[in-house]
Amino acid sequence: MPILSRPALVEHLVRTRIAGDVATPRDNNLSHYRKLANGDRHYWLGLELGDRWTDEQDVLAVMAERCGVNDDPAHRSGQDTIDPDLTVDALDRMAARLRKAAAGKERVLFATGHPGALIDAHSRVAAALRAAGCEIVRIPGGLVADEGYVVQFADVAVFERGASLWHTHSPEPMNAILDALGEDGRPDLVVADHGWAGRAGQRGIDSVGYADCNDPALFIGEAEGTMQVTIPLDDHVLDPRYYEPLTDYLLDASGLL
């Protein structure tokens, strides 16, 4: 398949509901913004936000600016949106960081809390960086967190429990990896999502990641400079293959194809 132009990629994002009118409802978004503002650490995604974000309207303002949700606080239910142009802008910023990683032959760690949707996208980027001379971090065996195991498939760290890969927002799997690697094995860059990305950034590692419109913490992290890049998208659409043109665009913009 040819690499999509920016306008064609925007059209694809809207058609597949990766961006545009997304499936995540407005009331769910606002509930998560409120819980973050109320100090519920489940919604901090591994970041330490202190008392800097105690007003949910401030959270909404960041999400309108960086994700493209409706900025009207009176809009309480129904449809919400992700701005596809902001998605592509963030892909371009991520591409710049991947070019730097390739040029410096950096150590890069990949991880996902959304294995059912994003593992292939992460794995393809990992393979491209390896081909460019980067070292893709191989995590130690036997890591445990949250009553499960931290394992690696296709170069991507994931959380496993009961012989299944789990959707998780927890930062504890990333803690387990970084603690086991120690300072000598510390990655130069983490490419991830959810608490995996947030905790890496909080621990001072360059971190780029994907985030949905109901996961405001990583957007706040980028606003504060803890996250390098946060890409707004629906992080679990109907078919994981819908992410392939997005990944192709990212790899082409990174000079990795």
Side-chain angles (χ1 to χ4, degrees), residues 18-99:
I18 293 173
D21 292 336
V22 293
T24 310
R26 176 67 168 193
D27 54 345
N28 181 263
N29 283 347
L30 295 181
S31 172
H32 287 200
Y33 304 169
R34 185 178 313 113
K35 289 173 180 176
L36 179 147
N38 288 340
D40 187 333
R41 286 179 172 267
H42 175 76
Y43 297 92
W44 288 12
L45 300 183
L47 296 167
E48 294 297 332
L49 302 180
D51 59 0
R52 300 185 298 279
W53 297 91
T54 57
D55 187 337
E56 65 182 278
Q57 299 308 318
D58 291 339
V59 179
L60 175 60
V62 168
M63 294 303 292
E65 176 188 10
R66 293 180 175 269
C67 185
V69 302
N70 190 314
D71 64 357
D72 182 2
H75 178 49
R76 309 299 299 178
S77 62
Q79 187 69 55
D80 213 338
T81 56
I82 293 174
D83 185 336
D85 283 304
L86 293 178
T87 303
V88 181
D89 288 345
L91 287 170
D92 288 338
R93 295 197 302 275
M94 183 174 174
R97 185 60 187 85
L98 295 179
R99 284 197 301 273

Side-chain angles (χ1 to χ4, degrees), residues 110-135:
F110 288 81
T112 185
H114 253 298
L118 296 176
I119 193 168
D120 185 60
H122 285 305
S123 180
R124 290 184 60 206
V125 177
L129 283 176
R130 175 181 283 112
C134 290
E135 178 185 352

